Each structure stands twice: as structure tokens, then as C-alpha cells.
Amino acid sequence: RAIVGQALEVELPEPLVDDRHWRCATDPDGLAEAAAALLDDEQARADLGHAARTYYEEHVEPGATMRRLIARIRPEAPLAR
């Protein structure tokens, strides 16, 4: 699914890239415009959704989070690789 939102104020494992992983807007009008543009562009919506899913799987899903944590605590552990 394609994501439209405002700038995040939290630290992520890797930065989200605007127009690659999501569409970022600074105000309600910008959010509406970004959502409308995606509704009108099936390919952009699909590409953005695929990139967002890949980002989640590589950086945020629980297994990726645990591997990153293990790598910090015990870099020599097999799961850290």
C-alpha cells in the first residue's frame, strides 16, 4: 500500500525517501493532493506500495529489528549477519 503522511519525528533504522518509500506533505492540503495524485496514478501507487513494503521487510519488521539488536549486542552471533 502506498503511504502518504507528514514528516516523522522519530528515528528510523534507515531514512524514508520521499517519492520512493512514501509521499510526504507538510499540511492537510498537501496530504490531500498527494493522495489524489496516487489515486489517479496506478503505477506510481503500485511502485510506492512495493517500495514501502520492501522497506518494512528490510528495516522494521520484527525479525529485522531483532537482527539489528543482536548485531549491536553480539556482532559475532550468526543471527547478526
Side-chain angles (χ1 to χ4, degrees), residues 8-17 22 55 59-60 68:
L8 301 174
E9 296 181 11
V10 297
E11 185 176 331
L12 296 171
E14 292 292 325
L16 287 172
V17 177
W22 71 320
Y55 179 93
H59 303 293
V60 183
R68 216 173 26 262

Side-chain angles (χ1 to χ4, degrees), residues 17-29:
V17 177
D18 188 20
D19 285 332
R20 179 168 174 223
H21 301 116
W22 71 320
R23 294 275 170 93
C24 182
T26 58
D27 58 41
D29 289 337

Side-chain angles (χ1 to χ4, degrees), residues 56-67:
Y56 169 79
E57 291 170 352
E58 292 178 358
H59 303 293
V60 183
E61 68 94 17
T65 301
M66 289 306 299
R67 285 187 293 279

